[in-house]
Amino acid sequence: MTLDALNIAATWPEIFLLTMACVILVVDVFIDDSRRNLSYVLSQLTLLVTFALVIRGETAQSVLAFNDMVVQDKLADTLKLFILAITFVLFVYSRDYLRDREIFKGEFYVLGLFAVLGMMIMVSSANLLLLYLGLELMSLCLYAMVALHRDNGNASEAAMKYFVLGAIASGMLLYGMSILYGLSGSLALADIANVVATTETQIGLVFALVFIVVALAFKLGAVPFHMWIPDVYHGSPTPVTAFISSAPKIAGFAMVMRLLVEGLGGLHGDWQMMLVILAVLSMAAGNIIAIAQTNIKRMLAYSTISHVGFILLGILAGTKDGYASAMFYTLAYAIMSLGGFGVVLLMSRAGFEAEQLDDYKGLNQRSPWFAFMMLILMFSMAGVPPTLGFWAKLAVLSAVVDIHMTWLAVVGVVFSIIGLFYYLRVIKLMYFDEPADQPAISCGRDMQIALSTNSV
């Protein structure tokens, strides 16, 4: 295979996705609102074909392309498949919500596809420059999606906060990367890893590491860099909240793996203790503050912060099992979060946002099936056996115990028990309280199938 053919083969999914996103952008200009469903259908077909291209191009060996800037390996292929599948389901969840609020526009789908492209670039980056470009492509699309509902003051405010804090985080990341480049003379992660492994730890390297860890904590939403998450989750249109809480977390995990593990693995002793502090603070603040919330989107936002703490536990372990458990936890959380916000979207209807916890009173009497789906999702997020969330937590805690940091595993268990309260509160409202009103819960067959499959 020639070099050009190798380059194209490694990036076929991204090339196709970019092409179709541009085509949909142009097509959407020439259709009226009555035919807007065409943008939705084309977007879903694009995700399906891209999914098939990723599967078709899967390789057991790591392949470098474009002058070693792009890496195609098992990690990249797996994460890409989950990002594409989650976005496909999200688009199914979102259609009725957007149509009811008269914001069923092609921009939502085009921005979503470009954000997915950014995530796929991040996942396959073997170079600091490419990693940063993928991050910014994703971030800029998410800023615009948060502000999609232009007539909503909360959405505009959330977008502004997200943009300002996101810019600060990007600046810190870029500054840390510039120091790494100055010390190593290369933007390639492999070259940086060699320099780190063959030289004594310098104050400059640790300085760069601090900026990079702070930026990663901002992007993931770890305490004390979490302040944007509750406001953005609350102010965004619910489909955008569902999107931000799921697929970008997978891309964020990939960024941590590429930067800290592959690029700065030689500094594991330095960044491990940083992640220990971030993990403990995230689990503590996320689970405790969530108890005080009466808005389910803000409750799930603080829940996200606590889950980020658990993901960091797996990464800081620094072992193969630790990284595997962190990846498993990230994918499990993305699926759980998508399903949780899917129920919020299901409960919302024209002129009504099902954002308050009291809106879920008596859901079992209105729709036993969807109440049961929400029960599964809440149990899974809480880590109750035998749900997926339990096995994810168990894998992460086992990895921490294996490196003889049992006290950290105990801290994780304690905060999981505290967090159980606010998940059980939702279940109590659904099954033991009387509903304030009894409007029928109706949705399309595609939504029923997607949400049921997501939960089960």
Side-chain angles (χ1 to χ4, degrees), residues 78-299:
T78 304
L79 297 184
K80 285 178 187 177
L81 290 176
F82 274 90
I83 288 170
L84 291 165
I86 284 171
T87 306
F88 181 90
V89 175
L90 172 85
F91 283 176
V92 173
Y93 289 169
S94 306
R95 183 170 57 167
D96 290 341
Y97 181 97
L98 297 173
R99 186 179 285 132
D100 288 344
R101 285 148 187 81
E102 299 181 353
I103 51 175
F104 185 56
K105 308 291 184 183
E107 290 93 327
F108 177 81
Y109 299 105
V110 172
L111 287 169
L113 292 179
F114 276 116
V116 170
L117 176 63
M119 295 176 211
M120 293 175 69
I121 292 172
M122 289 169 64
V123 165
S124 291
S125 295
N127 184 283
L128 294 181
L129 181 61
L130 193 65
L131 183 67
Y132 186 77
L133 289 175
L135 172 65
E136 287 307 290
L137 176 57
M138 178 192 76
S139 299
L140 290 172
C141 292
L142 294 180
Y143 302 152
M145 292 177 77
V146 171
L148 184 69
H149 199 176
R150 291 175 295 181
D151 298 330
N152 188 310
N154 289 334
S156 300
E157 180 184 345
M160 186 60 68
K161 289 179 179 177
Y162 193 15
F163 174 72
V164 171
L165 292 173
I168 293 172
S170 295
M172 288 187 172
L173 181 64
L174 199 58
Y175 187 53
M177 287 179 171
S178 69
I179 297 174
L180 280 183
Y181 174 65
L183 293 172
S184 65
S186 174
L187 291 171
L189 289 171
D191 294 340
I192 293 171
N194 289 333
V195 170
V196 171
T198 55
T199 59
E200 293 184 11
T201 302
Q202 304 172 20
I203 187 65
L205 276 177
V206 176
F207 200 61
L209 178 65
V210 170
F211 276 95
I212 287 173
V213 169
V214 167
L216 293 175
F218 253 116
K219 294 298 181 182
L220 287 173
V223 176
F225 311 105
H226 67 290
M227 63 288 291
W228 61 272
I229 285 191
D231 291 336
V232 171
Y233 277 36
H234 184 195
S236 304
T238 307
V240 180
T241 305
F243 190 40
I244 293 174
S245 73
S246 51
K249 291 294 183 287
I250 298 175
F253 166 78
M255 184 166 67
V256 173
M257 291 296 293
R258 298 296 186 200
L259 274 175
L260 293 188
V261 178
E262 294 183 10
L264 299 171
L267 297 174
H268 174 257
D270 296 290
W271 56 255
Q272 183 186 48
M273 291 314 297
M274 297 182 194
L275 296 192
V276 167
I277 296 169
L278 292 173
V280 172
L281 290 177
S282 298
M283 290 186 294
N287 283 311
I288 293 172
I289 300 176
I291 294 173
Q293 305 306 310
T294 57
N295 181 291
I296 194 166
K297 288 168 73 173
R298 295 187 76 88
M299 186 197 86

Side-chain angles (χ1 to χ4, degrees), residues 311-326:
I311 294 170
L312 294 178
L313 287 183
I315 297 171
L316 67 85
T319 62
K320 185 177 179 180
D321 287 343
Y323 300 141
S325 67

